[in-house]
Amino acid sequence: MSIFTEKEISLPAEQIADVIKQIKAKADAYAPAQLDLMKEFCSFDSETHYLPGNARAVEICKKHLEPLGVEFEEIVCENVGTHLIARLKPENPQGRIVLNSHLDTVFPVGFAEKYPCHVEGDYLYGLGAIDCKGGFVVSCYAVRIMQELGLLPNVEIDMIYSCDEEQGSMTGRAIYHQIGEGADAAFIFEPGYINEAGQHCVVTSRQGVILGNLDIKGVEAHAGCAYSQGHSANKELAHKILELYGFNDEARGIYYNAAPVSGGRPNGVVSGDANMQFCVAGIPDWDAYHECERNLDYMGSHTEDPVCTLDLSYRMLFPPQEHLPESTEIYKTIKKAADLVGMEVIEDGVHPDCEDVHGAGDANYFGEINVPALDGFGPNGFDMHSTEERVYIPSIQQKTELFAAYLYLMGLNL
């Protein structure tokens, strides 16, 4: 039986309400510290593979996690960065959960100085504020609040703060598999969002992504004097671009995209080489994933010009995270926690009933090993991956209260 199987809670409503009041008071008291942490976190460059930025982020995390009495493990990946693991282990745990967010961002070195972190009204503008620095801030302080109240559930809590999510977790994937294997659930603190109805969305499935490359070899020739002797790699590339886009499936939200593309030398020379990089996004499940593979294999198996040759390769960037029934069971308790703290949540990302298209993230890797993974517990904001990225400051406290209340209900269910 899952540790998340709901049991009848016999506590008086007044007693539960009193705990929620304490959680809210703690969250309110910690809100200034969380905002200060956000300002510090967003004040320096932490692009994937930028080791000084990663080192600084790890030290900040450790400073804020140390009061919890966690056991640290640092997994150093050469020329990539350090993945920080922090574990809380009760003496006789009745289960194990994973909390996760990432410390790297997409912004090149120098952008933190060019676009400094600042507050305007209810928004903190900062590079990586919602993706995913705010995720650490919420997860750390939700656990801290419940520990200080003596109300953490009797489970082992493994916190993974990774360093290469923005480039597909090339080294993080193995860590998620290693630590996630056998866990009862994973909670991912990527940015949350609110739908048009004002509901906070808990994401229980995400799409997969494929990245690929196609090199084309043709035959160069003078474009005026010997055109017929040439075999244009660019012309072949044009056919392949159209073929790739022909695989798009709008009904299922699966999209093939070519970018960037290049080819040839001066315009007086029939191009002897061409290249396109491409991605396939919005892959909802493994059946669709294998269908995409077949499409790409077919594209790489033939040419319009028989003299031209192709070299096609592709790899999985993110596996599809299929919806698991256990995730919905966990969501039901999250909804109860939301009701208690005065929030409205819905389960989103349930394919094919979800109206919104969700991107990929590290939740996909936990789903790959059949660990129920629920995402969207980070604070809300706007314009992720842009220089206008900003977090809605009140949502930091809201999401902290939500996850703290969920930890409380989890403990009551054990």
Side-chain angles (χ1 to χ4, degrees), residues 144-185:
R144 182 170 181 171
I145 286 169
M146 297 314 291
Q147 185 186 65
E148 290 178 356
L149 292 175
L151 294 171
L152 277 177
N154 186 31
V155 297
E156 178 178 334
I157 301 176
D158 295 337
M159 292 168 267
I160 306 174
Y161 300 109
S162 63
C163 66
D164 64 351
E165 189 270 354
E166 295 294 2
Q167 294 192 5
S169 297
M170 298 296 288
T171 64
R173 181 183 184 188
I175 294 168
Y176 299 140
H177 287 185
Q178 176 189 344
I179 296 176
E181 187 69 42
D184 293 285

Side-chain angles (χ1 to χ4, degrees), residues 69-138:
V70 297
E71 175 185 310
F72 288 117
E73 178 183 1
E74 296 183 30
I75 301 176
V76 179
C77 296
E78 188 175 359
N79 298 322
V80 178
T82 297
H83 301 277
L84 179 65
I85 318 298
R87 294 184 174 90
L88 272 176
K89 293 183 177 181
E91 188 171 343
N92 295 299
Q94 292 179 258
R96 184 166 65 89
I97 63 173
V98 175
L99 312 187
N100 164 250
S101 68
H102 61 89
L103 305 178
D104 59 319
T105 69
V106 300
F107 303 98
V109 174
F111 268 46
E113 181 178 1
K114 189 175 181 180
Y115 302 97
C117 177
H118 64 283
V119 172
E120 292 184 17
D122 283 336
Y123 291 93
L124 179 141
Y125 287 73
L127 306 184
I130 57 173
D131 187 28
C132 194
K133 303 298 181 66
F136 170 80
V137 174
V138 169

